[in-house]
Amino acid sequence: GENVEQHPSTLSVQEGDSAVIKCTYSDSASNYFPWYKQELGKRPQLIIDIRSNVGEKKDQRIAVTLNKTAKHFSLHITETQPEDSAVYFCAASSYNNNDMRFGAGTRLTVKP
Amino acid sequence: GAGVSQTPSNKVTEKGKYVELRCDPISGHTALYWYRQSLGQGPEFLIYFQGTGAADDSGLPNDRFFAVRPEGSVSTLKIQRTERGDSAVYLCASSPTRTIGEQFFGPGTRLTVL
């Protein structure tokens, strides 16, 4: 089955700096890669996703890149703000297999 | 509109007891997922429903865990003979389509087994 690894487990940046979180996956059949943000005590919420037919997707300060050959994908947050502080989870799944596998999460702290 | 809701929000039980956790998905969503999230970990897939049927239950840890969705909307996760290791937040999510895409999560049920 799919195995998703996420790094780093914690990340601290200064407000205004960029943050990068990386994930690797094992199943070459995976073709859907979402990123979820979870604030303390709250439910996970989708912030961006990418499908395997594209290599990069951007939404304002957030971007995701995908390298299918190397089986890794990354989340990039630019101009970080204190409200970006949360735990971020990557995940991987395939169209034929709906059991989405999540990484262990990255706790991002943005210091004002 | 209303999001995914889960009840109860907290459940404390004793080892060996039976518990039921309920999930109300977003109206019209055909896909429903159950996950378990332990402290400091990502959600762990348990089971996926498409309509009334369990399309994939490969994540259920053992036969003490069972889930139903008899009318294709509300789902109940049932845990028999609870163990301390079952303590976690149980998350439900729903999705509007058959193909994989955004999942909308509920607030979770925090289960504590004493």
Side-chain angles (χ1 to χ4, degrees):
Chain A
E2 176 64 274
N3 181 47
V4 178
E5 297 197 353
Q6 184 171 348
H7 302 278
S9 56
T10 60
L11 179 60
S12 182
V13 299
Q14 207 65 40
E15 182 178 1
D17 288 350
S18 294
V20 180
I21 303 170
K22 298 181 179 181
C23 287
T24 61
Y25 61 99
S26 61
D27 188 351
S28 56
S30 290
N31 48 22
Y32 175 68
F33 308 93
W35 286 87
Y36 283 81
K37 176 183 180 182
Q38 188 174 30
E39 297 178 40
L40 189 62
K42 302 225 174 137
R43 68 191 78 187
Q45 292 197 299
L46 182 75
I47 55 170
I48 195 167
D49 58 9
I50 192 167
R51 297 180 188 269
S52 61
N53 56 344
V54 297
E56 183 174 359
K57 185 176 177 181
K58 206 169 180 181
D59 182 4
Q60 299 182 345
R61 297 186 297 109
I62 295 172
V64 57
T65 58
L66 170 65
N67 184 328
K68 283 219 74 176
T69 304
K71 295 210 274 291
H72 65 70
F73 56 113
S74 301
L75 178 71
H76 305 252
I77 306 174
T78 58
E79 300 169 26
T80 53
Q81 302 166 1
E83 49 266 39
D84 293 331
S85 297
V87 178
Y88 292 81
F89 294 100
C90 63
S93 185
S94 74
Y95 296 146
N96 298 324
N97 184 356
N98 281 278
D99 63 340
M100 194 146 66
R101 303 291 170 165
F102 284 78
T106 296
R107 179 174 299 281
L108 174 65
T109 302
V110 180
K111 293 182 280 190
Chain B
V4 178
S5 62
Q6 292 185 244
T7 54
S9 55
N10 279 283
K11 176 71 178 178
V12 180
T13 191
E14 293 179 343
K15 181 174 175 296
K17 299 287 189 184
Y18 168 82
V19 296
E20 288 189 354
L21 312 179
R22 177 187 167 110
C23 172
D24 280 85
I26 294 173
S27 177
H29 280 196
T30 58
L32 186 145
Y33 305 78
W34 281 100
Y35 295 89
R36 178 169 68 177
Q37 187 174 26
S38 301
L39 194 63
Q41 297 296 314
E44 173 195 2
F45 170 79
L46 296 177
I47 187 170
Y48 154 65
F49 286 90
Q50 185 59 248
T52 59
D56 184 345
D57 63 359
S58 62
L60 294 177
N62 51 60
D63 61 7
R64 295 187 298 106
F65 289 74
F66 189 70
V68 296
R69 194 186 186 200
E71 297 177 359
S73 55
V74 170
S75 176
T76 305
L77 178 66
K78 308 180 181 199
I79 311 174
Q80 298 178 319
R81 305 184 303 279
T82 52
E83 299 178 357
R84 292 195 180 89
D86 298 335
S87 297
V89 174
Y90 288 81
L91 292 166
C92 173
S94 70
S95 180
T97 66
R98 294 184 66 87
T99 55
I100 193 72
E102 180 175 3
Q103 295 183 17
F104 297 83
F105 282 84
T109 293
R110 182 175 298 279
L111 176 66
T112 303
V113 182
L114 301 177

